Amino acid sequence: MPMKNLYRLVYTSVRGTSCDEKEIQQIVAACKRNNPGRDITGVLLYSNKRFIQYLEGSKEDVRELYELIKKDTRHSGVMERVFTPITERIFPSWNMGYKDVDAGKMAYETSISPKDKVAFDAMIEGKSEYNDQAMRILKLFFEMA
């Protein structure tokens, strides 16, 4: 059954120079600890220079989390790219991954469900059924990272 008041938000930001792998692991731990209680799902991706996050959940919860994210000093230049209602979640679990620039492929920091992996790989390869602005932004991240 589709959730009423379901929204998605996509933002991008510039990774801080002091945001090392230890900091990334702290972000992963905080997301694993906090997002399920808020019923927020999605994906956070990072490269050596950038972050992009796709969040799904209730309008209020997503907005509240985004306000906290904007204050995080581990990144700067936070820019909201998409905030729209949706009828169903694209990422039913929460995942975090990074673009391995040298290998030119995705690696995952968290366990990813087979369904999410298929959806994500299809999006990266341009074969996703979701061909909208949010998905184009995520795909562009991989090309730029």
Side-chain angles (χ1 to χ4, degrees):
M1 183 162 110
M3 179 181 168
K4 290 184 179 183
N5 193 31
L6 186 61
Y7 274 71
R8 68 174 169 193
L9 184 142
V10 177
Y11 75 86
T12 57
S13 63
V14 177
R15 183 174 169 179
T17 54
S18 63
C19 186
D20 59 13
E21 289 304 311
K22 182 178 177 185
E23 292 289 333
I24 295 293
Q25 293 310 313
Q26 290 176 352
I27 293 169
V28 171
C31 291
K32 283 182 174 180
R33 184 176 58 248
N34 299 328
N35 289 355
R38 292 182 168 132
D39 198 23
I40 291 179
T41 59
V43 63
L44 172 62
L45 307 172
Y46 68 97
S47 69
N48 292 332
K49 298 178 184 177
R50 295 181 174 83
F51 286 107
I52 184 168
Q53 188 162 21
Y54 177 106
L55 300 168
E56 302 168 321
S58 75
K59 182 178 185 178
E60 297 77 18
D61 289 340
V62 168
R63 273 283 171 214
E64 184 179 302
L65 178 58
Y66 181 60
E67 290 305 313
L68 293 173
I69 288 168
K70 290 191 304 186
K71 296 173 185 172
D72 193 316
T73 59
R74 294 173 285 199
H75 65 162
S76 63
V78 180
M79 181 178 289
E80 182 177 310
R81 301 295 182 157
V82 176
F83 184 65
T84 59
I86 55 176
T87 57
E88 65 179 322
R89 294 177 193 264
I90 294 175
F91 298 101
S93 59
W94 189 86
N95 299 288
M96 182 167 177
Y98 66 94
K99 172 71 179 282
D100 184 336
V101 178
D102 295 329
K105 64 179 182 179
M106 260 307 281
Y108 297 98
E109 290 285 332
T110 57
S111 58
I112 183 167
S113 72
K115 182 179 178 181
D116 283 358
K117 186 163 183 355
V118 167
F120 207 79
D121 289 344
M123 184 273 301
I124 294 169
E125 295 168 10
K127 299 176 184 174
S128 175
E129 62 187 85
Y130 303 100
N131 189 19
D132 63 8
Q133 182 182 8
M135 292 299 108
R136 286 191 295 274
I137 291 168
L138 286 174
K139 187 171 185 328
L140 184 60
F141 173 84
F142 289 96
E143 295 166 0
M144 292 177 58

